Amino acid sequence: MADSVKSDTKTNGFHKTTNGHHTEELKIAIIGQSNFAAEVLEVLLERDHLVVGVFTIADKGNREDVLATTARQHRIPVFKFSAWRRKGVPIPEVLEQYRSVGANLNVLPFCSQFIPMEVIDGAAFGSICYHPSILPLHRGASAISWTLIEGDERAGFSIFWADDGLDTGPILLQKQCPVLGDDTLDTLYKRFLYPEGVTAMAESVDMIAAGTAPKIPQTEIGASYDPALFREENQYINLNQPGVRIFNFIRGLDSVPGALATVVTDDGVDVPVRLYGASLSARRSMANAKLIRFKGAVGPAFVTREGIFITGTDGTLVRVKRVKRGNRVIPAGQWFEQSESKAISLELNEKEQEQDTLLRSIWKSILKVEIEPETDFFACGAGSMDVVRLVEEVKDTLEVPISNETLFMAPVYGEFLQEVILRLRTGGSDHGANIGCDYKHVVLKANRRQISVPTQMFINGRFVDAEESKTIAIVNPTNEQVICEVASASKSDVNDAVLAANDAFRGVWSSVSARERGQLMYKLADLMEQCKEELATIEAIDSGAVYTLALKTHVGMSIDAWRYYAGWADKIEGTTIPVNPARPNHVLTFTKKEPIGVCALVTPWNYPLMMLSWKMAACIAAGNTVIIKPAQVCPLTALKFAELTVRAGFPPGVINVVTGTGSLAGQALADHPLVRKLGFTGSTPIGKRIMASCAESNIKKCSMELGGKSPLVIFADCDLEKAVRLGMSAVFFNKGENCIAAGRLFVEDRIHDEFVRKVIKGIRTMKVGDPLDRATAHGPQNHRAHFEKLQEYCTIGVKEGATLLYGGKRVPNMDGFFFEPTVFTNVEDHMYIAREESFGPIMIISKFHASDFEALVARANSTEYGLASGVFTKDIQKALLFAEKVEAGTVFVNTYNKTDVAAPFGGFKQSGFGKDLGKEALNEYLKAKCVTVEY
């Protein structure tokens, strides 16, 4: 018998008995089920123990337990019993099959069946059993749950010798671990009970084989026997107790089976729910929360974006993150939205019917049952590895991006099929069903296309109206007609967007790996490529951009930016730093580059999509979430872009678009305490106000790309034809609505007149007109206020004595904001038009004499702006000397407007600070953390 074992000799599963006359082989029967039991089997075999038989549960349909599968792989006899007893009496044929293997030690690593004492006592060396508690505390089937429910500070497990009380027998081995504040049933199991338990079972068998296994009688001091939580009546939570007790009960049943409660709806209907993901909340304010009523609860409960908050009897709030209603697990914060949502009935086309067949075959191969619409994946006995297998096979077979969460949210086949089909239809989005069918939109009929464009804000993955349904009119600058009305955000709307971005940053986005971020960005760039004609058409209608230019630059460079930064997403690295340690210790110091958090972007109206992409692509690659406030007058490409982010699969809240005025929505972003970074492109005066707000609110990081008055110097030794062509482009590109436009040309006196003559000749050949006309070179100015500002600018120039050679007025006989390309000469340095930016198609020309290079550079630098500059000359020494001396963030030599997504872009002085584009732009959206470890 086991209590006579004293020898310490063990070799290859043989055990030397106390009489010393013979060696008896240790023959092990494993009785149990699950992955835990399968791993115990594997470890015992690795340690050369002899396992003579495995006894497990009967198959569920055609599905056998993993313990049986593992045993068969090792050619170990497998026996499957639906029960060991009938009416309390052992089943003879079951006992006969057990005895047939000749086991002398029973190992019960995880056993859900009642094993007869004839089996427990039938092995010469006894039976050992795993129990997830520190016996004698919490005896019973739900021990580890009660460890959490009772708020124990320590958890653990016991390996004990089974007796007729099953968990009252002598202790062989015990191990403990602390219960952490955020532990749940799952985390305790994964962190300690499972891995350490497998090892401990093998150690126990080693001790039995060595004759050193103790038998320590259990004390009755502190013993408890707690109710079984597999009974539904024991799963209901008492909500009339202190918050910590409510919290402990929920985490004690997380994630199986879940704490039960009953929600009472406004019309008096009782709705059973299960609660998951509990935490004790430090929140005190319930502003903007909706009341929810739980049956039997005295304290109030609330629903916010963050979840459901339940009030304990001591006033402590318990936050619940997820709720199971029926077969679906939903975010608790979406309780009312999910309750009000209507089921979508899908009609499958021929290809989708084939996909249904493939999907059914995958489910059947895993579950081993016939698949019906109501087949529940988990009710069929599926486990965690089955979830992984299903998700991977579906992703590989149907090429649809799903995750484990997809199955948890839709465990019934019919619902899962619907999720997969909707994602295939919408390019991978979790919630793409809502995009393309239920947002408010305008249909633009232009360029031989019909383009649907959203007109609502985009917050938390949905298009929504502004508070009180406020809107602003969007005007087509080509014909001055209203295109549509677009939502005009309030301060409350901005707050909703920031909260959504904050939730996403701390939640779903934090679980997306850097490489996965990059893949989402590549997918978005591909969708933008597919829709580039639509996007360019919207830019032409909304902002007046010439279609061909919009296609190449506005949209083309936007796509380039997303692809460029997608490649950077998984290459953001810190460094290790050699420091002086305090000897004899060693020190490791390293830096980590981390995302800042919630970022706000405020972009201008000259390149609506490109400015969005330049900033946002770097921001997203760095791992941040974002709210963008596009220009009030042309937000439509930003809203169409939002639709594409859904189709690309970006989680809700990662990218948000609030439309409206800068004075309200833009200011609200600058003032918001949860926004940690603001990127702005616009005028210097507005930039100053935004910087002040960033400082006053929470000293948020900011980057500014502001006004410019970029000098372009043209020496007589240049290639004149090239200088004329690119000089005109430097001024008139994108109708002069270009931040780096050459604000003042310095032309050497020897070629001045010829240069001017060629420019005028070139202007006369430019076609001004409809931006959608492929022959058009010059479209309308963006909006009326800017158009009128240009007229005033030219009036000032003439009044101060500059020579207006060409233009300076509205194009005659045309509707829309068409302004003639304009040329001023004889401009003196003190004049208004020599100092201030026009941001329009106005060329300002001054002469210079080549004899005083230093004076020329001084004139070029005689401005508070320092965004860009250019020089045309064949003298490389002169060119490089100018590049060295000029005070500008960008210098073009014998070219102009030649930007690239890999090259940093940004200004000096009052043209701002910080960089867009290139590797440097990533630093605008990252923070460096220094970590020092002494060892």
Side-chain angles (χ1 to χ4, degrees):
M1 297 295 292
D3 59 354
S4 67
V5 176
K6 296 179 181 176
S7 172
D8 60 358
T9 304
K10 193 272 290 184
T11 305
N12 292 330
F14 289 85
H15 184 273
K16 188 173 182 180
T17 59
T18 54
N19 57 28
H21 297 301
H22 67 281
T23 301
E24 184 178 354
E25 185 178 18
L26 200 62
K27 300 177 182 178
I28 301 168
I30 293 182
I31 305 173
Q33 66 195 81
S34 82
N35 285 309
F36 184 84
E39 285 203 31
V40 170
L41 169 61
E42 295 273 14
V43 173
L44 291 178
L45 295 176
E46 288 172 6
R47 299 191 181 199
D48 293 330
H49 290 294
L50 176 63
V51 178
V52 295
V54 162
F55 300 83
T56 187
I57 58 176
D59 293 351
K60 294 181 179 179
N62 295 322
R63 179 184 177 79
E64 69 176 4
D65 187 78
V66 65
L67 175 60
T69 303
T70 305
R72 283 192 294 100
Q73 290 171 350
H74 291 283
R75 299 183 180 179
I76 297 170
V78 176
F79 302 87
K80 303 174 184 179
F81 304 141
S82 57
W84 291 67
R85 301 186 309 169
R86 187 180 297 120
K87 296 182 179 179
V89 178
I91 301 171
E93 54 267 32
V94 169
L95 281 180
E96 182 179 348
Q97 290 183 65
Y98 164 74
R99 288 168 177 160
S100 69
V101 300
N104 55 22
L105 175 66
N106 295 324
V107 175
L108 287 71
F110 182 84
C111 184
S112 62
Q113 297 174 309
F114 191 93
I115 310 302
M117 292 309 299
E118 288 82 350
V119 174
I120 295 295
D121 293 337
F125 298 122
S127 301
I128 61 170
C129 188
Y130 172 90
H131 196 273
S133 79
I134 308 169
L135 291 172
L137 188 62
H138 303 311
R139 293 171 177 167
S142 305
I144 187 57
S145 292
W146 285 102
T147 296
L148 290 165
I149 292 170
E150 293 299 325
D152 295 353
E153 293 184 357
R154 300 195 68 78
F157 59 81
S158 304
I159 313 296
F160 68 97
W161 300 91
D163 64 359
D164 55 3
L166 292 186
D167 52 4
T168 58
I171 301 298
L172 190 159
L173 178 152
Q174 287 184 325
K175 290 190 177 182
Q176 300 183 20
C177 72
V179 177
L180 305 180
D182 58 350
D183 266 328
T184 65
L185 186 67
D186 280 355
T187 61
L188 269 178
Y189 186 63
K190 293 173 183 176
R191 174 167 60 86
F192 184 78
L193 299 177
Y194 188 115
E196 293 293 330
V198 170
T199 302
M201 288 297 287
E203 290 176 359
S204 298
V205 173
D206 288 346
M207 293 166 68
I208 294 169
T212 59
K215 285 189 174 182
I216 305 169
Q218 287 190 41
T219 175
E220 290 303 308
I221 298 173
S224 66
Y225 196 92
D226 302 300
L229 292 173
F230 57 76
R231 301 183 186 280
E232 188 171 288
E233 63 268 23
N234 296 329
Q235 296 165 9
Y236 278 92
I237 186 170
N238 173 16
L239 296 176
N240 291 322
Q241 56 182 332
V244 68
R245 297 285 298 175
I246 296 172
F247 162 68
N248 283 335
F249 192 89
I250 296 173
R251 68 172 176 157
L253 278 73
D254 196 342
S255 62
V256 177
L260 267 172
T262 301
V263 173
V264 182
T265 64
D266 290 341
D267 52 3
V269 177
D270 288 355
V271 180
V273 296
R274 293 190 180 273
L275 310 177
Y276 306 98
S279 61
L280 290 173
S281 175
R283 182 168 178 165
R284 290 295 175 262
S285 171
M286 282 291 130
N288 301 319
K290 294 182 179 179
L291 282 170
I292 182 173
R293 186 155 60 99
F294 283 94
K295 191 172 185 177
V298 174
F302 309 90
V303 179
T304 75
R305 186 189 304 278
E306 300 167 22
I308 292 176
F309 291 82
I310 299 170
T311 308
T313 54
D314 58 351
T316 301
L317 289 173
V318 179
R319 176 190 174 195
V320 176
K321 294 181 181 178
R322 297 179 301 281
V323 175
K324 186 175 184 181
R325 179 176 182 172
N327 289 321
R328 291 181 66 86
V329 178
I330 63 173
Q334 297 179 13
W335 171 263
F336 290 107
E337 291 90 335
Q338 295 283 346
S339 298
E340 294 166 2
S341 63
K342 298 178 181 178
I344 301 171
S345 179
L346 292 183
E347 188 171 326
L348 305 186
N349 58 36
E350 187 175 341
K351 182 179 180 181
E352 290 168 346
Q353 290 173 4
E354 295 174 2
Q355 292 165 338
D356 178 16
T357 302
L358 286 171
L359 203 56
R360 285 177 187 270
S361 67
I362 295 171
W363 275 57
K364 184 175 181 179
S365 69
I366 296 172
L367 299 179
K368 311 297 184 187
V369 298
E370 292 301 319
I371 306 302
E372 303 295 336
E374 61 275 10
T375 301
D376 188 305
F377 192 78
F378 298 106
C380 290
S384 58
M385 289 307 298
D386 299 310
V387 174
V388 175
R389 177 184 167 188
L390 175 70
V391 169
E392 293 306 311
E393 286 194 26
V394 171
K395 284 163 66 176
D396 291 344
T397 304
L398 299 181
E399 296 183 351
V400 58
I402 64 169
S403 64
N404 295 4
E405 195 74 11
T406 309
L407 181 61
F408 294 144
M409 295 294 189
V412 176
Y413 178 76
E415 295 176 348
F416 186 80
L417 170 66
Q418 177 174 289
E419 284 291 322
V420 170
I421 295 299
L422 287 174
R423 293 180 190 215
L424 287 167
R425 288 181 181 180
T426 57
S429 162
D430 281 359
H431 53 295
N434 297 317
I435 304 302
C437 62
D438 68 351
Y439 63 67
K440 294 179 182 177
H441 62 278
V442 62
V443 176
L444 304 181
K445 298 178 180 179
N447 208 15
R448 299 183 300 278
R449 300 174 181 276
Q450 292 193 39
I451 306 168
S452 176
V453 183
T455 57
Q456 297 168 290
M457 299 179 301
F458 183 69
I459 298 176
N460 203 28
R462 295 180 180 276
F463 287 104
V464 295
D465 285 333
E467 187 177 26
E468 299 180 356
S469 298
K470 288 187 177 179
T471 61
I472 51 175
I474 305 301
V475 175
N476 184 339
T478 301
N479 56 24
E480 302 181 54
Q481 294 179 0
V482 173
I483 302 169
C484 60
E485 297 280 336
V486 168
S488 183
S490 67
K491 186 175 180 181
S492 175
D493 295 324
V494 170
N495 183 60
D496 287 345
V498 173
L499 291 177
N502 189 57
D503 288 348
F505 178 73
R506 301 186 185 285
V508 61
W509 197 229
S510 66
S511 65
V512 175
S513 71
R515 192 156 297 168
E516 289 170 330
R517 282 202 307 272
Q519 292 302 318
L520 285 171
M521 294 173 70
Y522 279 124
K523 173 73 179 213
L524 177 59
D526 290 345
L527 287 169
M528 293 171 72
E529 182 86 48
Q530 293 168 23
C531 299
K532 63 183 179 181
E533 289 86 2
E534 289 188 5
L535 292 169
T537 302
I538 298 169
E539 290 278 78
I541 295 171
D542 195 24
S543 73
V546 172
Y547 175 76
T548 52
L549 174 64
L551 202 60
K552 178 180 182 294
T553 301
H554 291 233
V555 179
M557 202 169 182
S558 297
I559 296 168
D560 289 346
W562 284 99
R563 286 184 174 144
Y564 174 78
Y565 284 109
W568 269 113
D570 62 353
K571 300 171 188 66
I572 298 170
E573 302 170 342
T575 57
T576 55
I577 303 170
V579 297
N580 289 331
R583 301 182 189 281
N585 293 337
H586 300 274
V587 171
L588 170 64
T589 296
F590 60 92
T591 60
K592 295 177 64 182
K593 293 293 184 70
E594 298 180 349
I596 291 173
V598 177
C599 297
L601 306 176
V602 179
T603 51
W605 40 260
N606 58 329
Y607 294 101
L609 184 63
M610 195 174 79
M611 290 293 98
L612 175 154
S613 299
W614 280 20
K615 296 181 186 299
M616 194 186 294
C619 177
I620 292 296
N624 302 285
T625 56
V626 66
I627 309 100
I628 185 166
K629 210 293 288 183
Q632 171 183 337
V633 292
C634 48
L636 296 186
T637 41
L639 293 171
K640 188 66 177 178
F641 168 85
E643 180 187 319
L644 298 183
T645 68
V646 177
R647 292 172 57 190
F650 279 85
V654 174
I655 295 172
N656 305 272
V657 182
V658 292
T659 51
T661 65
S663 59
L664 202 162
Q667 187 64 48
L669 286 169
D671 291 338
H672 205 292
L674 288 180
V675 174
R676 295 295 174 185
K677 160 69 198 281
L678 191 143
F680 174 75
T681 294
S683 72
T684 297
I686 299 299
K688 290 178 179 179
R689 294 216 301 267
I690 286 179
M691 279 189 67
S693 297
C694 289
E696 291 169 4
S697 58
N698 59 349
I699 315 184
K700 59 174 58 72
K701 185 177 182 180
C702 58
S703 54
M704 299 281 163
E705 196 257 279
L706 306 176
K709 190 65 176 175
S710 302
L712 173 57
V713 176
I714 301 173
F715 286 97
D717 63 353
C718 70
D719 178 337
L720 185 58
E721 294 299 326
K722 183 179 182 182
V724 169
R725 176 169 50 84
L726 293 181
M728 291 179 64
S729 175
V731 176
F732 302 130
F733 187 83
N734 200 48
K735 340 127 197 190
E737 295 170 355
N738 188 22
C739 51
I740 59 171
R744 188 177 180 192
L745 276 63
F746 295 90
V747 182
E748 190 173 342
D749 51 8
R750 286 193 297 152
I751 62 167
H752 175 274
D753 293 348
E754 187 178 1
F755 178 87
V756 171
R757 181 178 58 78
K758 288 179 177 292
V759 166
I760 299 299
K761 181 180 177 182
I763 289 175
R764 290 192 172 114
T765 65
M766 289 170 59
K767 179 175 179 179
V768 180
D770 183 356
L772 289 172
D773 186 334
R774 303 306 192 265
T776 295
H778 190 83
Q781 304 309 135
N782 185 274
H783 55 280
R784 178 176 294 280
H786 180 55
F787 177 76
E788 292 173 349
K789 175 191 168 187
L790 294 179
Q791 291 175 315
E792 181 183 358
Y793 188 91
C794 291
T795 299
I796 295 172
V798 172
K799 189 177 293 184
E800 288 191 328
T803 301
L804 177 61
L805 279 187
Y806 193 92
K809 61 184 185 300
R810 176 194 285 268
V811 176
N813 304 316
M814 288 186 71
D815 294 330
F817 307 127
F818 290 94
F819 195 83
E820 291 182 334
T822 299
V823 177
F824 276 100
T825 60
N826 298 318
V827 178
E828 302 294 333
D829 292 356
H830 67 275
M831 291 180 179
Y832 175 84
I833 63 173
R835 294 181 287 106
E836 295 300 326
E837 179 181 30
S838 71
F839 212 64
I842 301 174
M843 181 177 286
I844 308 297
I845 303 176
S846 299
K847 291 180 184 179
F848 74 91
H849 193 277
S851 61
D852 194 344
F853 182 85
E854 294 297 329
L856 172 65
V857 173
R859 293 178 71 190
N861 287 335
S862 183
T863 172
E864 274 300 302
Y865 299 112
L867 190 56
S869 61
V871 58
F872 280 83
T873 177
K874 293 178 181 177
D875 185 337
I876 189 64
Q877 181 181 14
K878 194 160 38 180
L880 291 178
L881 190 59
F882 176 82
E884 178 184 321
K885 298 291 185 180
V886 72
E887 297 169 350
T890 297
V891 183
F892 297 110
V893 178
N894 293 326
T895 188
Y896 208 89
N897 280 330
K898 201 169 189 66
T899 54
D900 187 273
V901 293
F905 181 93
F908 298 165
K909 300 189 287 189
Q910 291 195 40
S911 285
F913 54 88
K915 296 294 182 185
D916 288 327
L917 304 182
K919 180 181 178 181
E920 284 86 347
L922 289 168
N923 293 325
E924 303 297 330
Y925 300 96
L926 292 166
K927 56 189 179 187
K929 178 181 287 182
C930 181
V931 181
T932 297
V933 182
E934 187 172 88
Y935 59 98

